[in-house]
Amino acid sequence: MSNLKRLALYLNNQLGSASLPDAQLRLFTLMLGANVVKGSIYWYDAVVNHAGDGTGRAIRLILTSILIIFILRRFPKIIYWGIHYAVLGTILHIYYRVFNQAIGADVVSLQAIVMVVISSFYGLGKRWGTVYTVIAAASVILVHYISYRFTGLHPLPQNLNDIYIAINWLVILLSHVYFHGVLFGNLRESKLLSLRLADVAEAKSNFLSTMSHELRTPLNSVIGIAGLLISDESNAKQKEQLDMLKFSAEGLLTLINDILDINKLDSGKLELESTSFSLDTLLGGIAGGMEFKAHEKGLKFKLSVSNKLKHFGYYPQAGVIGCNCFSALFSAA
């Protein structure tokens, strides 16, 4: 697991905020649990006030809701399809109420439309949310142009109807509480994560700067001593080896300076500079380092530079002068 994932998990555990799937599962467990209570209200009303007419419909609502709760708890990965089922079932219930001869577009129907909006947008996304919202909201308009009406659904007594409406408002309220917690919890986590990452980046930058400065000090000493030894009386072979040592140390110093430039680049303080150099000397230094490794492997390494190229290089005031006038050759020792 990457450090970023560990940090995100740590923040999530510290803040205790639920993920979106957790909030979806809570919401639909709440809605289906409310259906059990509302089904019980309809069952009670059917038995007490309508001689059992409508008990079958109430029992089906109760048993279906309990079964779906069990399935979603047992297999939470199918929550997406469970949301589709719940939303479609709610839309059918809306049309059944709105087009019912004894009910019509009452407060409960409007509450059910709000539940469709919440469930489909929070649970299924913008596209399905738009589709299901349009279908559900169209019911209160189509009822004025379609004359067909259902029969068989009895209006609840005022006291039971008020309980039914209160349960729906509670479901709507808690659904917003769940998803508000997810939204602002994630925003809070994102802000804390950004602050932590900024601290990590600053620590990295400070480390690179410190390390680079610490390395430059001994390297400058190496370069200085190599220069002093070169200026002393020495045979040609020693001078060549000392030149190679100085060139390699200067190359390493350049690399360290490049590391410092990365930090400057992050802070927007990098400045480009134009420096003259001898291409002949540069090629010789590179070849010298490769020659040593070649000899270790039993190979001969030879660099051949044309006289046309010698004493030429890059000079900022005059431009670039160069040509394909060098070659390198490996051969078995």
Side-chain angles (χ1 to χ4, degrees):
M1 184 182 296
S2 67
N3 292 331
L4 188 59
K5 289 183 178 179
R6 288 194 184 97
L7 179 58
L9 181 61
Y10 168 79
L11 290 174
N12 187 64
N13 292 335
Q14 289 296 108
L15 295 172
S17 60
S19 64
L20 181 60
D22 290 337
Q24 291 172 341
L25 189 59
R26 287 183 185 179
L27 170 61
F28 289 99
T29 300
L30 174 67
M31 286 185 171
L32 293 169
N35 283 347
V36 173
V37 178
K38 292 185 287 186
S40 301
I41 292 175
Y42 269 114
W43 176 80
Y44 173 82
D45 179 62
V47 171
V48 173
N49 299 319
H50 303 286
D53 184 21
T55 55
R57 185 168 54 251
I59 292 174
R60 283 196 301 272
L61 176 62
I62 295 171
L63 294 180
T64 302
S65 299
I66 293 174
L67 178 61
I68 296 176
I69 290 175
F70 173 79
I71 293 174
L72 290 180
R73 286 289 179 179
R74 185 68 178 82
F75 307 101
K77 291 185 178 180
I78 66 170
I79 183 67
Y80 180 81
W81 302 109
I83 295 172
H84 273 290
Y85 176 85
V87 171
L88 287 172
T90 304
I91 290 176
L92 291 176
H93 178 67
I94 292 171
Y95 276 83
Y96 185 65
R97 290 187 68 91
V98 170
F99 284 87
N100 192 278
Q101 187 173 358
I103 304 296
D106 60 349
V107 174
V108 174
S109 300
L110 297 177
Q111 287 179 320
I113 293 174
V114 174
M115 290 182 186
V116 168
V117 175
I118 295 172
S119 304
S120 57
F121 271 99
Y122 286 158
L124 302 174
K126 181 173 62 176
R127 184 181 65 177
W128 282 111
T130 301
V131 171
Y132 284 140
T133 297
V134 170
I135 295 174
S139 61
V140 296
I141 298 175
L142 294 177
V143 71
H144 300 124
Y145 302 96
I146 300 175
S147 58
Y148 179 80
R149 295 293 183 270
F150 294 102
T151 58
L153 184 63
H154 305 291
L156 291 171
Q158 188 63 49
N159 58 339
L160 294 180
N161 194 60
D162 289 341
I163 295 174
Y164 197 101
I165 292 173
I167 292 172
N168 285 339
W169 284 128
L170 179 63
V171 171
I172 293 171
L173 172 63
L174 291 179
S175 65
H176 283 293
V177 170
Y178 290 156
F179 287 98
H180 181 277
V182 172
L183 173 61
F184 284 90
N186 288 338
L187 290 175
R188 182 175 53 198
E189 289 179 18
S190 177
K191 182 178 180 180
L192 291 176
L193 183 59
S194 297
L195 293 174
R196 182 67 182 273
L197 290 177
D199 291 339
V200 171
E202 183 178 358
K204 180 203 75 172
S205 179
N206 292 335
F207 169 76
L208 289 176
S209 297
T210 303
M211 181 192 69
S212 300
H213 283 294
E214 292 297 327
L215 288 175
R216 289 175 68 183
T217 302
L219 269 177
N220 283 323
S221 298
V222 171
I223 295 171
I225 293 173
L228 290 174
L229 292 175
I230 291 172
S231 64
D232 290 342
E233 294 294 332
S234 58
N235 58 46
K237 185 63 176 177
Q238 288 178 336
K239 185 176 185 304
E240 181 182 353
Q241 292 173 344
L242 289 171
D243 285 337
M244 184 56 54
L245 173 63
K246 184 179 179 183
F247 178 83
S248 299
E250 289 174 344
L252 185 55
L253 183 61
T254 300
L255 180 61
I256 293 173
N257 288 333
D258 289 341
I259 295 175
L260 290 174
D261 286 341
I262 293 176
N263 287 338
K264 293 180 181 178
L265 185 63
D266 290 338
S267 60
K269 298 179 180 178
L270 179 64
E271 295 181 0
L272 299 179
E273 63 178 3
S274 182
T275 306
S276 61
F277 71 95
S278 170
L279 185 57
D280 179 31
T281 304
L282 176 64
L283 292 174
I286 296 173
M290 297 179 66
E291 183 179 4
F292 177 75
K293 285 294 183 182
H295 283 312
E296 285 185 343
K297 298 179 180 180
L299 300 173
K300 289 183 179 180
F301 178 78
K302 182 180 180 182
L303 174 69
S304 177
V305 180
S306 171
N307 291 328
K308 296 179 181 179
L309 192 61
K310 292 182 178 180
H311 311 300
F312 287 92
Y314 174 72
Y315 301 92
Q317 295 80 10
V320 177
I321 301 176
C323 62
N324 297 323
C325 304
F326 67 92
S327 62
L329 175 64
F330 280 100
S331 63

